[in-house]
Amino acid sequence: MVTQITSFGRSGLYDWMMQRISAIVLALYSVFIIGYLVLNPDLTYEQWSGLFETTWMRIFSLMALLSVGIHSWIGLWSVSTDYIKATGVRFLFQAVCGLAMFVYIVWGIQVLWGL
């Protein structure tokens, strides 16, 4: 039996809820970005840069970035616990995925907030 040590949440229900909430955030972000691009066909760099300079857009982008991390971790954890039976290989896979997501999130925060 697989233990919950590397799971994102405290229970399967919590993971399920986080998966659904992160999916909603990602859907809203995608709809907004696509809508913005469609409604501004002659988009310039200044307009695009101006959009991402606003605090609300940075927060929305940060929420989307964190949602990608949460959503992908829960999905990859579920797949790895279902299909990778060897504990060492599964742990290595999860460690590599976790490290990659951590690096991407830190990098994304630096890009968004200019840290």
Side-chain angles (χ1 to χ4, degrees):
M1 177 163 179
V2 176
T3 60
Q4 295 291 326
I5 292 173
T6 56
S7 173
F8 182 77
R10 297 175 292 261
S11 68
L13 178 61
Y14 184 79
D15 285 350
W16 182 86
M17 286 283 292
M18 293 304 295
Q19 189 83 354
R20 297 319 178 260
I21 291 168
S22 63
I24 290 169
V25 170
L26 291 171
L28 291 173
Y29 191 78
S30 298
V31 167
F32 174 79
I33 292 295
I34 291 168
Y36 189 82
L37 293 172
V38 167
L39 294 174
N40 295 292
D42 297 326
L43 188 65
T44 64
Y45 174 78
E46 289 77 24
Q47 291 171 312
W48 187 252
S49 179
L51 173 66
F52 281 90
E53 285 178 2
T54 60
T55 303
W56 69 269
M57 187 61 188
R58 287 183 178 183
I59 292 171
F60 193 25
S61 297
L62 181 61
M63 286 175 51
L65 180 65
L66 294 175
S67 292
V68 167
I70 291 167
H71 198 88
S72 61
W73 174 254
I74 293 171
L76 288 169
W77 181 86
S78 298
V79 169
S80 68
T81 55
D82 285 346
Y83 296 107
I84 304 175
K85 298 302 179 192
T87 305
V89 176
R90 183 176 58 241
F91 178 77
L92 180 63
F93 174 79
Q94 291 174 350
V96 168
C97 289
L99 179 63
M101 282 179 266
F102 176 76
V103 168
Y104 291 146
I105 288 173
V106 169
W107 185 25
I109 290 169
Q110 287 178 335
V111 168
L112 278 173
W113 295 96
L115 301 174

